[in-house]
Amino acid sequence: MGRLVVLALLGAAVALVGERLVAFRERVAASREVEPVEPQNCRLVEGLEHGSEDVDILPSGLAFISSGLKYPGMPNFAPDEPGRIFLMDLNEQNPKAQALDISGGFDRESFNPHGISTFIDKDRTVYLYVVNHPHAQSTVEIFKFEEEQRSLVYLKTIRHELLKSVNDIVVLGPEQFYATRDHYFTNFFLVLLEMILNLPWTHVLFYSPREVKVVAEGFHSANGITVSLDQKYVYIADVMAKNIHIMEKRDNWDLTPLKVLPLGTLVDNLTVDPATGDILAGCHPNPMKLLLYNPEDPPGSEVLCIHDVLSEQPRVSTVYTNNGSVLQGTSVASVYKGKILIGTVFHRALYCEL
Ligand SMILES: [Ca+2]
Ligand SMILES: [Ca+2]
């Protein structure tokens, strides 16, 4: 009798995993062939051949780019090279990417930069916050930007027991930020199981020196995060659920859900167009090709723009698509005065006129 119960339970478990596996395959293998869309005058950016996972552009047109992310399950073409932060001045006629020197006793060998966010203090000092994964951990590094010297000064590392599997951050005050957690588990095989079972166990965290708390939960994999121009609304990409959550920021930093925009593609990092308030989303149209990387049949790229985000019917337009022949694994797109910088997790970066 005991054995029968065990057998029945085992059978039910296998059936459940089997059913979830089929659903998982459908979710990630539903490979859409994207029609090519390309703005005018595009060129690849030299120096960013090993990824440009996240981009943050200052109001002055200086763009910070995180490069060289090593992320479990994702391809990486330079596994022995530490990650770096690059700078591009988008006011220049032909801007070049320049790797920033980092001073102040920072461990550059284990630097594995992921999501980034800039913060300008009242005294106009620019700080760059970087999600880092040294030795497979998650930390948030704070740097001060020295514009004259074009360098970063390392200030401090933030660690917290709730800062696990951090993907992206958005900084809204001195050491005050929201951070997304992309997986509940930190063990690679449990992460795979989490994805296959489609568990909505990830969240958004608010961090400050005085208080750290979960402010939104129920995401399948919370990824990119940013704020509206007036800083009243927070936009969160749920990559596995293929949507963007629009949430209202409360005075106590809690987030209230307003609506969810389904996009039908895996949404990575988000930025806001400073001129219009529209959301730009770096997306993955064929996730299975990302996971099972084959240079003969590479993953494509897709950049979407969501207009009139807060209106009854936000409109979605396609800004860029490519089948992987030019760009593979787009993770971000950011605009400045009619130019767009499109970054990828592990591949090249593209700079175009809109
Ligand atoms: Ca970011
Ligand atoms: Ca991301």
Side-chain angles (χ1 to χ4, degrees):
M1 191 64 188
R3 285 183 184 174
L4 259 183
V5 172
V6 169
L7 205 63
L9 284 176
L10 207 63
V14 168
L16 175 72
V17 171
E19 180 262 324
R20 292 291 173 111
L21 203 57
V22 170
F24 172 73
R25 272 192 63 86
E26 275 168 13
R27 268 201 321 282
V28 299
S31 207
R32 290 161 42 241
E33 289 314 316
V34 286
E35 287 294 316
V37 174
E38 191 172 297
Q40 315 162 14
N41 298 330
C42 288
R43 65 172 178 85
L44 294 165
V45 184
E46 242 176 84
L48 297 178
E49 288 79 15
H50 299 146
S52 36
E53 152 75 26
D54 203 7
V55 171
D56 198 309
I57 305 177
L58 292 173
S60 65
L62 291 177
F64 293 95
I65 302 144
S66 67
S67 178
L69 173 67
K70 285 167 260 319
Y71 189 87
M74 285 283 164
N76 182 282
F77 297 143
D80 301 325
E81 273 180 38
R84 287 188 289 182
I85 302 293
F86 283 83
L87 188 78
M88 269 175 92
D89 184 349
L90 304 188
N91 299 296
E92 289 172 6
Q93 194 62 269
N94 192 15
K96 292 193 165 40
Q98 168 193 358
L100 290 175
D101 269 337
I102 301 178
S103 62
F106 181 66
D107 176 13
R108 288 158 61 169
E109 282 307 305
S110 66
F111 195 29
N112 188 7
H114 199 169
I116 60 174
S117 176
T118 54
F119 173 67
I120 306 173
D121 213 344
K122 288 195 191 86
D123 64 3
R124 307 181 68 86
T125 308
V126 174
Y127 296 92
L128 181 71
Y129 286 59
V130 181
V131 175
N132 187 15
H133 301 296
H135 314 293
Q137 307 288 307
S138 279
T139 59
V140 174
E141 315 289 351
I142 309 179
F143 302 97
K144 188 165 90 161
F145 176 53
E146 299 278 0
E147 188 169 342
E148 293 284 298
Q149 291 89 345
R150 295 280 162 111
S151 69
L152 295 172
V153 179
Y154 166 67
L155 295 182
K156 73 187 279 186
T157 298
I158 294 176
R159 288 186 184 84
H160 192 276
E161 55 181 3
L162 288 176
L163 283 171
K164 295 256 174 64
S165 290
V166 183
N167 193 297
D168 195 15
I169 46 172
V170 60
V171 184
L172 296 178
E175 290 187 43
Q176 292 173 311
F177 57 84
Y178 290 110
T180 55
R181 178 172 185 156
D182 56 14
H183 297 296
Y184 175 80
F185 293 111
T186 46
N187 173 288
F188 182 66
F189 293 98
L190 289 177
V191 164
L192 270 183
L193 193 66
E194 178 183 349
M195 284 165 68
I196 290 166
L197 294 178
N198 200 21
L199 302 173
W201 287 3
T202 75
H203 58 235
V204 176
L205 200 72
F206 169 69
Y207 178 94
S208 75
R210 286 179 45 215
E211 186 184 25
V212 184
K213 60 180 177 181
V214 172
V215 287
E217 49 196 343
F219 302 92
H220 292 87
S221 183
N223 197 307
I225 185 165
T226 192
V227 278
S228 60
L229 294 178
D230 61 9
Q231 302 210 339
K232 286 183 180 164
Y233 302 93
V234 176
Y235 308 142
I236 301 144
D238 187 338
V239 59
M240 292 305 288
K242 303 180 181 178
N243 60 31
I244 296 176
H245 291 243
I246 313 295
M247 299 202 166
E248 197 170 352
K249 183 165 89 51
R250 298 282 163 210
D251 292 339
N252 65 357
W253 299 94
D254 282 350
L255 296 177
T256 307
L258 268 192
K259 59 179 162 184
V260 178
L261 307 175
L263 291 181
T265 182
L266 280 83
V267 196
D268 202 320
N269 296 330
L270 307 175
T271 66
V272 167
D273 182 334
T276 61
D278 294 346
I279 302 176
L280 283 132
C283 305
H284 304 288
N286 1 67
M288 203 51 133
K289 292 187 186 178
L290 256 189
L291 297 172
L292 310 171
Y293 185 75
N294 171 7
E296 301 297 314
D297 184 22
S301 286
E302 184 171 34
V303 175
L304 299 178
C305 181
I306 300 98
H307 310 264
D308 309 317
V309 180
L310 297 169
S311 70
E312 285 281 302
Q313 291 218 303
R315 199 164 49 79
V316 179
S317 67
T318 302
V319 179
Y320 177 84
T321 53
N322 179 263
N323 61 6
S325 59
V326 178
L327 275 195
Q328 305 172 4
T330 343
S331 50
V332 66
S334 193
V335 294
Y336 175 76
K337 292 191 176 168
K339 323 269 179 50
I340 186 166
L341 182 57
I342 304 173
T344 65
V345 185
F346 58 90
H347 199 229
R348 306 147 148 179
L350 197 71
Y351 184 63
C352 312
E353 285 173 24
L354 286 172

